[in-house]
Amino acid sequence: MLARNAESLYWIGRYVERADDTARILNVSVHQLLEDASVDPDYASRQLLAVLGIESKGDEELDVWKLTELVAYAKDNAASIVGSINSARENTRGAREVVSTELWECLNATWNAVPDRQRYARRAGPHAFLSFVEERAAMFAGLADSTMSRDDGWLFMVLGRSVERADMVVRLLLSRVQDKASSPGWITVLRSAGAQDTYLRTNRGALDAGRVVQFLLRDNLFPRSVFHALRLAEECLDQLDTGANTRGTEKSEALRLLGRSRSELEFLRPSDLLEDLPRRLGALQTAIKDIGEAVSVQYFNTSPWVAWRGAEVSL
């Protein structure tokens, strides 16, 4: 596969996942700001922007509407929902020969519907727009699953999606590391990750920081856990690297980094998980960034690393 097409598919996976995760997080945050009068809108908004790596312009006080403009509608910000949809659509347009017609039509129809949905959301509230994005991302995932061959193109797309998902969950956990073990903020984290129902069934309703962190970092069955995402990314890279090395013991840098991060999570004692959690999460976030850089250098011949927040569209 051409490096240009491989890079486009990788970033399609990342951008669609970014739009989906950002919509989930913003939807939960908007509900919290509107329903809980005890929450400071400016502080909560700035906390969310820090999680997503988005800088607010100026020192004006933020509220639900200004937050939504920055996170959802800002076209000039690749980390916003609209920016991610635009970038995914442009990458898909540049790789039309390796994506199915159904996938292109899904993203193109989503892109064309954004202005109308955006105008309606500005009048009625952001929930409808955010739900629309979540539904279209789910449709995209379903179409990719049912219309793409399990070849290198599929592997690069799933690799990008998995790397982005792991990064987003780590960002979510970093935003709550200073909270008390019984803080209701941990429910917000679960809801933002789409994990609340599954977590409660798994842990029989028990809620505390240790169990939440354990579930979102290390659960091997939940598809949005960091461990599951890293393991899936590792499987994709392992298949892409098959036959690339002359010696069976040699591993690519990206695969080595992935294997180390995954094994550190897998074999960590549960009792040690919360010890120095900010440092552990920071190291994991750095490792995920290094994995993305190694993938770019190895497969796309691009350097230096393209940052998460300011990722450029690859045409």
Side-chain angles (χ1 to χ4, degrees):
M1 174 175 287
L2 294 175
R4 174 180 61 83
N5 289 333
E7 184 175 13
S8 292
L9 288 163
Y10 173 80
W11 281 106
I12 290 167
R14 292 202 68 161
Y15 281 127
V16 172
E17 182 66 25
R18 186 177 303 177
D20 184 22
D21 289 344
T22 304
R24 290 171 179 272
I25 294 170
L26 183 58
N27 213 354
V28 172
S29 299
V30 165
H31 274 87
Q32 184 182 28
L33 290 173
L34 292 176
E35 296 172 1
D36 190 349
S38 66
V39 176
D40 179 8
D42 184 68
Y43 175 78
S45 297
R46 294 187 185 281
Q47 189 178 36
L48 176 59
L49 292 177
V51 170
L52 299 175
I54 299 175
E55 295 181 2
S56 60
K57 298 178 181 179
D59 297 326
E60 61 178 341
E61 190 169 327
L62 298 176
D63 56 19
V64 169
W65 302 102
K66 292 174 183 176
L67 175 66
T68 305
E69 288 290 333
L70 285 171
V71 176
Y73 308 142
K75 293 182 180 180
D76 58 345
N77 187 348
S80 73
I81 295 172
V82 170
S84 297
I85 292 172
N86 288 344
S87 298
R89 190 247 188 188
E90 287 302 306
N91 276 277
T92 307
R93 187 176 64 171
R96 286 286 288 110
E97 66 269 25
V98 292
V99 299
S100 65
T101 300
E102 289 85 354
L103 275 185
W104 162 248
E105 290 176 348
C106 175
L107 278 177
N108 194 47
T110 303
W111 181 80
N112 283 315
V114 161
D116 287 339
R117 297 279 182 164
Q118 198 170 312
R119 283 191 292 270
Y120 176 77
R122 285 195 170 107
R123 297 193 309 270
H127 174 71
F129 177 81
L130 300 175
S131 297
F132 163 75
V133 173
E134 292 179 36
E135 291 168 2
R136 298 302 293 187
M139 179 181 293
F140 177 88
L143 288 171
D145 184 68
S146 60
T147 64
M148 288 188 68
S149 297
R150 289 344 187 226
D151 54 11
D152 286 357
W154 166 261
L155 293 174
F156 277 113
M157 183 179 291
V158 174
L159 173 62
R161 181 184 68 192
S162 301
V163 170
E164 188 71 26
R165 183 172 291 177
D167 181 67
M168 185 64 78
V169 174
V170 171
R171 286 172 181 268
L172 273 173
L173 291 173
L174 275 169
S175 71
R176 293 293 179 179
V177 291
Q178 304 302 328
D179 287 9
K180 296 180 179 179
S182 58
S183 170
W186 293 107
I187 278 288
T188 301
V189 171
L190 290 171
R191 290 174 60 196
S192 298
Q196 181 179 2
D197 293 336
T198 306
Y199 168 86
L200 292 175
R201 284 194 294 269
T202 302
N203 291 277
R204 303 191 180 188
L207 178 67
D208 62 68
R211 286 188 174 93
V212 172
V213 173
Q214 173 83 7
F215 185 78
L216 290 179
L217 278 183
R218 302 184 64 215
D219 193 89
N220 65 335
L221 298 179
F222 184 62
R224 290 186 175 273
S225 75
V226 174
F227 174 79
H228 192 282
L230 291 178
R231 185 176 62 184
L232 185 56
E234 187 179 12
E235 291 172 359
C236 291
L237 271 182
D238 190 49
Q239 293 183 56
L240 288 168
D241 283 357
T242 299
N245 297 315
T246 56
R247 297 185 180 91
T249 58
E250 291 182 357
K251 299 292 184 182
S252 68
E253 179 67 7
L255 190 56
R256 185 186 66 80
L257 291 170
L258 262 172
R260 185 175 67 182
S261 298
R262 187 263 311 153
S263 61
E264 286 177 354
L265 280 179
E266 185 175 9
F267 298 108
L268 181 68
R269 286 197 298 264
S271 58
D272 295 339
L273 188 60
L274 291 182
E275 290 184 7
D276 201 7
L277 184 60
R279 182 200 59 80
R280 195 181 302 280
L281 291 174
L284 187 54
Q285 186 177 39
T286 300
I288 293 171
K289 175 184 174 182
D290 291 341
I291 290 165
E293 181 178 4
V295 169
S296 296
V297 171
Q298 179 179 351
Y299 291 105
F300 314 141
N301 303 314
T302 57
S303 185
W305 159 248
V306 181
W308 188 94
R309 186 178 63 204
E312 297 293 333
V313 177
S314 58
L315 298 176

